[in-house]
Amino acid sequence: MAEKPKVAFYWCASCGGCDETVVDLAEAVLDVVAAVDIVFWPVAMDFKRKDVEAMPDDAILATFVNGAIRTTEQEEMAHLLRRKSKLLLAFGSCSHLGGIPGLANLFDRESILQAVYCESPSTVNEEGVLPSVRHNDNGHSVELPGFYETVRTLGQVVDVDFYIPGCPPTARILRTALQTLLGGELPPKGTVLAPDYALCEECPRKDSKPVNLSISQFKRPQEVLIDEEKCLLTQGLLCMGPATRGGCEAPCVQGNMPCTGCCGPTSRVRDQGGKILSSLASLLESKEEGEIDQALATIPDPAGSFYRYGLPSSLLRRRKLPDSNLEPPKVR
Amino acid sequence: MPDAMPNSSHAVPPRVEPQTFEPRIVAFFCNWCTYLAADLAGTSRMKYSPNVRVVRVMCSGRVDPQFVLDAFAHGADGVLIGGCHPGDCHYQEGNYKALRRYRLLKRMLRQMGIEEDRIRLEWISASEAERFRWVMNDMVEHVRVLGPLRLQPDEEVFAEEEVAV
Ligand code: SF4
Ligand code: SF4
Ligand code: FES
């Protein structure tokens, strides 16, 4: 019998939700699973890094990597899996755009380590010990992966063949993506394997969105009784639909919550945050600066809301570091 | 240093010592007003800072916030948008749209660590060459005080970054 094609899954900076999606597919992927050999999947199977290292280059047909890149170990694994795989796929928002871990780019390494290891209320760390790459204790030495100042997407670290969007990708997006991959003719390299139109296009509430929509202020979901039929943006809720790629079939809107933008922008938009900022600001009624500011104050966290899943892949990529952080790095 | 003009919300910057830093300013000027003011300043042989690279747009309302982000990402130290005075937009409301986007963009840029003075929106009509000259100089001086905008280290620097944890 001919050898089955080899497939691998890996996770970097992520929550585990993407691996969950693969498991969730259960019956739907049984056919796929029967047709392939899973050679590496840390969350579910006991293979080790050395098993991957032992494979010849290009031995794996397709590797699905979820999670953003923020440690040296993740970067090494990305390079290793790239070498061993014919196709490398960024799977899910973190790998595709930076994802929720990418919001760390609003801070710098030092303040993150301080917050996590010194300041958080549940931490007792009187000596203020921070993790270090090398630690010696009584003649024993341990090594930890290094933690980068900036979170990156998989595509900013290695060559990526295809992107599967979503936080996590819906079963339908994954199924369609797999069909495309197995269908023989591959789309051009770099393609996001999902439809290339804005979410509003496929939103069940689309028809209730007026052509000349104008709003006087924005509201947060906990502040209003949300109408279950009407377009959420029309109700003043910050719905990312107009700046977000469709394909998910709007599960959030169907659950009566605004879209937060997890599938990223369409191919015609370079910067999802810039795009939604533009549409939302244009919807305001006021022409007077003070009034405009008042209305805009109802969006308390523009950067965090507009780049919730995509700060590392945005044009600016991160909050500007203090100039001192940009000097040659100090190794601790 | 230029004197403060009555029509501006910007404070006069502190005096700067002459230094080698020449700010790079990207300007988006509306075809019907500020661009013509620039023209008039030119033909009137007015002297103003040469630091500004001008992009002509049909209306300040055409300035997509992505243009501004792109300019900063590609090395601009400051971005200036020039449009028609309120009520004078050739397309009626384009400048109000620009104002709303600008107010929100400014806030978002602050979250991204980009100082307020690096982005500016000014209404300058076709006949206001003198005001145009003043705004150009004033913007350049403000940005000069802030120094170069050094965003994230570029790709190579990042790749070489030794990890310090
Ligand atoms: S703005 Fe949101 S609720 Fe309205 S049509 Fe678009 S996706 Fe649907
Ligand atoms: S509705 Fe928006 S946030 Fe929800 S799954 Fe779709 S793209 Fe993601
Ligand atoms: S035409 Fe000048 S701002 Fe609209």
Side-chain angles (χ1 to χ4, degrees):
Chain A
M1 201 182 88
E3 224 184 293
K4 289 189 203 168
K6 297 184 170 60
V7 169
F9 298 94
Y10 192 65
W11 53 359
C12 294
S14 62
C15 68
C18 283
D19 280 307
E20 182 75 43
T21 312
V22 179
V23 179
D24 276 355
L25 272 180
E27 284 143 56
V29 280
L30 275 186
D31 300 346
V32 180
V33 171
V36 299
D37 227 353
I38 298 176
V39 292
F40 187 53
W41 192 7
V43 77
M45 299 166 106
D46 191 19
F47 293 105
K48 298 286 188 258
R49 175 167 168 169
K50 61 176 187 334
D51 300 319
V52 180
E53 284 166 341
M55 295 175 193
D57 287 358
D58 278 348
I60 306 171
L61 173 67
T63 296
F64 297 77
V65 174
N66 70 69
I69 308 292
R70 72 179 323 174
T71 68
T72 49
E73 183 200 29
Q74 289 158 354
E75 180 166 18
E76 286 163 21
M77 285 305 291
H79 285 290
L80 174 65
L81 288 165
R82 172 70 277 186
R83 232 183 15 257
K84 303 297 178 188
S85 319
K86 285 205 185 72
L87 294 176
L88 186 70
L89 291 102
F91 185 69
S93 304
C94 301
S95 177
H96 173 205
L97 308 162
I100 298 286
L103 284 170
N105 285 0
L106 287 169
F107 304 87
D108 59 15
R109 170 172 45 216
E110 203 55 43
S111 53
I112 291 171
L113 293 179
Q114 282 296 331
V116 173
Y117 291 98
C118 301
E119 291 154 15
S120 76
S122 58
T123 302
V124 182
N125 181 5
E126 268 147 31
E127 295 104 85
V129 181
L130 297 181
S132 56
V133 172
R134 223 157 273 104
H135 179 71
N136 287 307
D137 190 34
N138 276 335
H140 299 284
S141 131
V142 268
E143 279 191 28
L144 280 178
F147 184 88
Y148 283 118
E149 189 96 80
T150 300
V151 175
R152 286 172 294 167
T153 69
L154 184 65
Q156 286 166 349
V157 174
V158 290
D159 226 25
V160 168
D161 294 290
F162 301 111
Y163 297 86
I164 301 177
C167 182
T170 60
R172 177 169 171 266
I173 288 185
L174 179 53
R175 219 179 311 121
T176 323
L178 290 177
Q179 276 159 10
T180 311
L181 291 176
L182 299 171
E185 193 143 320
L186 290 178
K189 193 172 158 186
T191 300
V192 178
L193 301 177
D196 201 9
Y197 49 69
L199 180 70
C200 293
E201 287 300 308
E202 67 180 17
C203 175
R205 305 190 185 192
K206 180 177 130 194
D207 294 337
S208 60
K209 187 175 166 190
V211 190
N212 284 319
L213 174 58
S214 88
I215 8 192
S216 54
Q217 59 164 332
F218 295 94
K219 292 173 198 119
R220 304 172 80 186
Q222 71 272 25
E223 295 169 351
V224 272
L225 210 56
I226 305 174
D227 183 317
E228 294 187 15
E229 310 280 316
K230 252 176 48 198
C231 162
L232 294 160
L233 203 50
T234 311
Q235 302 182 54
L237 289 143
L238 203 163
C239 186
M240 291 282 286
T244 303
R245 183 187 285 268
C248 64
E249 298 175 298
C252 303
V253 179
Q254 299 202 37
N256 214 21
M257 285 300 275
C259 165
T260 48
C262 79
C263 282
T266 63
S267 67
R268 289 170 302 284
V269 172
R270 171 59 191 87
D271 190 288
Q272 192 181 15
K275 166 78 181 164
I276 193 71
L277 185 153
S278 179
S279 347
L280 294 181
S282 312
L283 294 178
L284 288 183
E285 283 157 356
S286 178
K287 297 178 178 174
E288 193 270 314
E289 196 168 301
E291 260 176 54
I292 294 175
D293 284 353
Q294 249 177 27
L296 290 174
T298 54
I299 304 177
D301 176 14
S305 312
F306 302 163
Y307 293 115
R308 182 166 305 178
Y309 303 91
L311 192 53
S313 63
S314 72
L315 281 161
L316 297 178
R317 293 175 55 174
R318 58 157 303 119
R319 180 182 162 91
K320 181 186 178 309
L321 291 167
D323 282 348
S324 56
N325 294 32
L326 297 181
E327 305 311 334
K330 339 134 212 147
V331 178
R332 242 205 334 254
Chain B
M1 200 170 65
D3 296 319
M5 282 274 281
N7 208 352
S8 171
S9 56
H10 294 255
V12 184
R15 225 193 110 68
V16 233
E17 296 305 317
Q19 44 180 293
T20 45
F21 168 57
E22 284 301 332
R24 271 177 301 192
I25 313 282
V26 172
F28 298 98
F29 288 160
C30 161
N31 177 57
W32 305 99
C33 52
T34 315
Y35 193 79
L36 296 177
D39 218 27
L40 181 58
T43 51
S44 320
R45 300 190 177 273
M46 285 183 185
K47 282 222 172 85
Y48 59 85
S49 297
N51 306 54
V52 182
R53 276 91 159 151
V54 178
V55 180
R56 177 164 61 146
V57 289
M58 288 312 281
C59 173
S60 61
R62 177 65 186 92
V63 181
D64 187 318
Q66 292 181 79
F67 298 174
V68 177
L69 295 167
D70 209 22
F72 281 126
H74 286 91
D77 300 304
V79 175
L80 172 63
I81 304 167
C84 307
H85 284 272
D88 288 348
C89 171
H90 213 73
Y91 309 96
Q92 262 89 54
E93 308 243 316
N95 49 2
Y96 294 122
K97 217 182 225 188
L99 177 62
R100 295 177 195 123
R101 289 175 180 155
Y102 166 75
R103 298 305 300 174
L104 187 50
L105 184 58
K106 214 175 165 78
R107 260 180 72 206
M108 194 179 82
L109 288 175
R110 213 184 304 143
Q111 290 185 285
M112 299 300 290
I114 296 182
E115 298 88 343
E116 291 209 28
D117 277 355
R118 294 192 190 272
I119 166 112
R120 186 156 166 175
L121 171 69
E122 291 282 352
W123 311 133
I124 306 173
S125 76
S127 61
E128 292 179 306
E130 175 53 35
R131 182 171 152 68
F132 170 81
R133 184 192 67 86
W134 179 83
V135 167
M136 298 292 263
N137 289 341
D138 191 57
M139 169 102 195
V140 171
E141 286 323 307
H142 273 86
V143 176
R144 199 191 300 279
V145 173
L146 292 172
L149 174 65
R150 299 167 71 202
L151 288 179
Q152 73 276 353
D154 57 38
E155 220 92 32
E156 279 108 285
V157 178
F158 196 95
E160 284 165 16
E161 183 186 17
E162 281 223 39
V163 182
V165 173

